[in-house]
Amino acid sequence: MNPAAETLEELGVREVVIGDACDPKIVREAVRGIEAVVYQPAMLLYSETEMADLCIDESIAAGVSQFIMLSVAHPNLSTILQHTMKLKAEEHLKLQGFKHNLNFTILQPLHYMHNILVKQMLETGVYPNFKPLHKKLGYVADSDVAEVVGIILSEIERHRYATYELCGSSHLSIVEIAELFTKITGRNLTISYTERENLFRDFPNFAGIGSDSYSKAAFMSIRDTYNEYGFDANCNVLEWLLGRRSTTVEEYIKNECQGG
C-alpha cells in the first residue's frame, strides 16, 4: 500500500482514493457520497488550476454541500507563479459556487511553520534557507489552520462565501528565528543561505522540483519575490476565527523540540 495511504488510515480515514488528480474518473470516485470537500492541492504544478477546476466541477456534480479551498495569502501577487494558478482556481470556485449554490469558503494561509525544520536543525546545527535573512516574514501554524477548517466544517452557513487570510502573530526574519532557536535550545545554529544560482542544487527535492521547467520557474519566483520584497500578513482574522491568540513560532519550536 502507498505509505501516504497507510498514514491516513492510521489517522482514522476510512477510505483512501489514490490516482491522478487531473483524471475525471479518479476525482469523481473521490467525491462520490461526500458532504464536504477540503481541497488542498500539491504546489508548483503546471496543472494546479486544472486540478482545482476539475475537483470543483465534480464536487458540484456529486451534490457536495460544502467546499473549503486551501489557497495562499495574497494570491493576486503576479510575481509568484503559483499564486496566479491559485487565483484562477479561486475565481472558478466563486463563479461556479454562485451559479450552483455551492457553499464555499476560501482559506489563504501564509508560510506554514512546518517549513522551519526544527528536528533537522537539532540534528545538524544548520538552518538551510533561500529566504531573505533580514526581511520579516509571517508564519502560521498548521494546527491553527486545521482548527479553522474544523470550525468552518461545523458552522456551515456562518462562513458561506467567505475568504479568510490566515497568518499568525509571529513576524520574524530568518536571523531572528535562528536566535529564537538558540534561546530555546541553548544550541548555536549556523544559517546556510543559498544564492539564486545554487537554488536547485541546494533544494533539489523541494516539492518535487526538477521534473519540469514550470516547477523550476515557480520555485524561483517564490525565492525572488521573498528576497526582493519580503512576505507578510495580518493575524486578526485568524485569531477572530480561533477565538484565541494564534500559535507563535516560539511555541512551535518548543513543541517540536519536545517531540510534538
Side-chain angles (χ1 to χ4, degrees), residues 24-42:
K25 292 181 179 179
I26 294 294
V27 178
R28 196 169 301 135
E29 179 185 355
V31 300
R32 185 181 64 248
I34 299 298
E35 294 182 7
V37 170
V38 179
Y39 178 76
Q40 183 167 18

Side-chain angles (χ1 to χ4, degrees), residues 75-132:
N76 59 330
L77 292 182
S78 61
T79 58
I80 304 179
L81 297 183
Q82 69 155 344
H83 285 220
T84 299
M85 290 286 192
K86 293 181 187 297
L87 183 62
K88 291 179 180 178
E90 286 189 17
E91 179 183 48
H92 188 75
L93 177 58
K94 290 176 180 178
L95 293 175
Q96 295 306 310
F98 298 151
K99 181 177 181 179
H100 297 282
N101 195 32
L102 172 65
N103 186 323
F104 68 80
T105 306
I106 297 171
L107 301 181
Q108 300 175 330
L110 211 71
H111 301 105
Y112 286 111
M113 290 182 192
H114 69 228
N115 290 307
I116 305 173
L117 304 177
V118 175
K119 294 176 182 178
Q120 178 180 315
M121 290 151 62
L122 283 169
E123 292 174 0
T124 65
V126 178
Y127 187 8
N129 243 289
F130 61 86
K131 299 171 186 174

